[in-house]
Amino acid sequence: MSKINGFVGRRNFLKLAGVGSVTVGASAVGSVLWQREPAIAQKPATTETKPQPVNPQAALARLIEGNKRFVEGKRLNPNQSRLRLQETAVAQYPFVAILGCADSRVPAEIVFDQGLGDLFVVRVAGNVASQTAIGSLEFATAVLGAQLIMVLGHARCGAVVAATKGEPLPGRIGVFVEEIKPAVERVRNKTGDLEENSIIANVQYQAEKLGESSTILRGLIKEGKLKIAGGRYDLASGKVSFLT
């Protein structure tokens, strides 16, 4: 079975998804944090210069640093040069996968101050772990080598608010709202603001669902090649509070 940086190759991905047990990335993978690049990249990626996957702790630290720059108005806008564009046309090696809300006010590359090829972002209203989202994240981790999945919720999320009200919704809006209701029920009787409690509970619920619903993700977690974390984005300050 062909591998990329110790992970399964694209041709074998579907075969892997169809088996009962997961044997993803049997070889050990180095945990080397990519060097922070200025806006002007160095040279195109080659077989010899291919970066190693970033371990979960280093990936999380990189997100924290990037968000701090964004909040303080000190963005570096890394990996956005013409040369970086050429590099990522050859291949992509995102250091993290993000399951975020489709809300237009929460663009992950901006709020984490990252560039082309840095983040593999799956966005859906309410940051719900739908089957399509799970499949995309399986690809980001098992094939592309991302070792951290960040489930990113945000303040005043309309999808979560709708789930707390439980009112009938038109069209297919109710489909993803139904995916949030179990999280709301966890905190409905909890003291404090129901909306805010539900936003945090939904992040935690969707993170749990990822590990429980996917044999591929569960296998990577068991082998120590993947961690799933959560975060809440504040619309007013731009700050991401990371949840345990």
Side-chain angles (χ1 to χ4, degrees):
M1 179 178 289
S2 62
K3 298 180 181 178
I4 302 175
N5 282 341
F7 291 83
V8 296
R10 298 170 192 265
R11 294 181 179 178
N12 296 290
F13 181 62
L14 293 179
K15 293 181 181 179
L16 175 63
V19 300
S21 59
V22 178
T23 56
V24 181
S27 61
V29 180
S31 57
V32 180
L33 177 63
W34 296 356
Q35 295 297 317
R36 181 186 300 169
E37 291 186 339
I40 301 176
Q42 283 80 31
K43 57 183 179 179
T46 65
T47 303
E48 290 74 24
T49 61
K50 186 189 306 181
Q52 292 295 308
V54 180
N55 68 46
Q57 292 75 21
L60 183 59
R62 191 167 170 180
L63 290 179
I64 292 172
E65 291 171 1
N67 181 243
K68 185 173 184 290
R69 295 194 300 269
F70 172 71
V71 172
E72 296 177 350
K74 298 178 181 179
R75 291 173 58 200
L76 298 178
N77 301 312
N79 294 330
Q80 297 177 27
S81 67
R82 172 66 63 176
L83 194 52
R84 178 65 171 181
L85 185 67
Q86 296 171 351
E87 288 178 344
T88 53
V90 176
Q92 61 170 322
Y93 304 101
F95 73 91
V96 64
I98 294 179
L99 173 58
C101 183
D103 193 293
S104 63
R105 300 165 292 179
V106 196
E109 286 85 358
I110 295 177
V111 303
F112 288 118
D113 192 25
Q114 302 300 323
L116 295 169
D118 290 333
L119 311 180
F120 188 99
V121 184
V122 179
R123 297 181 68 179
V124 60
N127 44 273
V128 299
S130 65
Q131 292 302 304
T132 303
I134 292 173
S136 296
L137 294 170
E138 288 176 340
F139 179 79
T141 53
V143 178
L144 300 182
Q147 295 195 1
L148 175 69
I149 294 176
M150 168 64 63
V151 180
L152 183 63
H154 66 92
R156 297 192 290 279
C157 179
V160 174
V161 172
T164 62
K165 295 180 178 179
E167 299 173 351
L169 296 166
R172 298 186 179 181
I173 298 176
V175 174
F176 60 80
V177 172
E178 288 297 322
E179 299 286 343
I180 301 173
K181 286 183 178 180
V184 174
E185 293 309 311
R186 287 185 175 186
V187 295
R188 188 171 291 281
N189 297 320
K190 183 179 179 180
T191 57
D193 182 73
L194 176 61
E195 178 183 324
E196 180 58 29
N197 289 341
S198 296
I199 288 169
I200 294 174
N202 184 50
V203 169
Q204 296 169 332
Y205 173 74
Q206 303 302 335
E208 292 172 10
K209 187 175 179 181
L210 288 176
E212 294 171 356
S213 302
S214 169
T215 55
I216 290 178
L217 299 182
R218 187 164 62 249
L220 289 170
I221 293 171
K222 184 177 181 180
E223 294 181 14
K225 293 186 173 71
L226 176 66
K227 285 191 176 180
I228 301 176
R232 173 198 177 275
Y233 176 75
D234 185 77
L235 296 175
S237 67
K239 181 178 175 57
V240 175
S241 300
F242 294 90
L243 310 173
T244 55

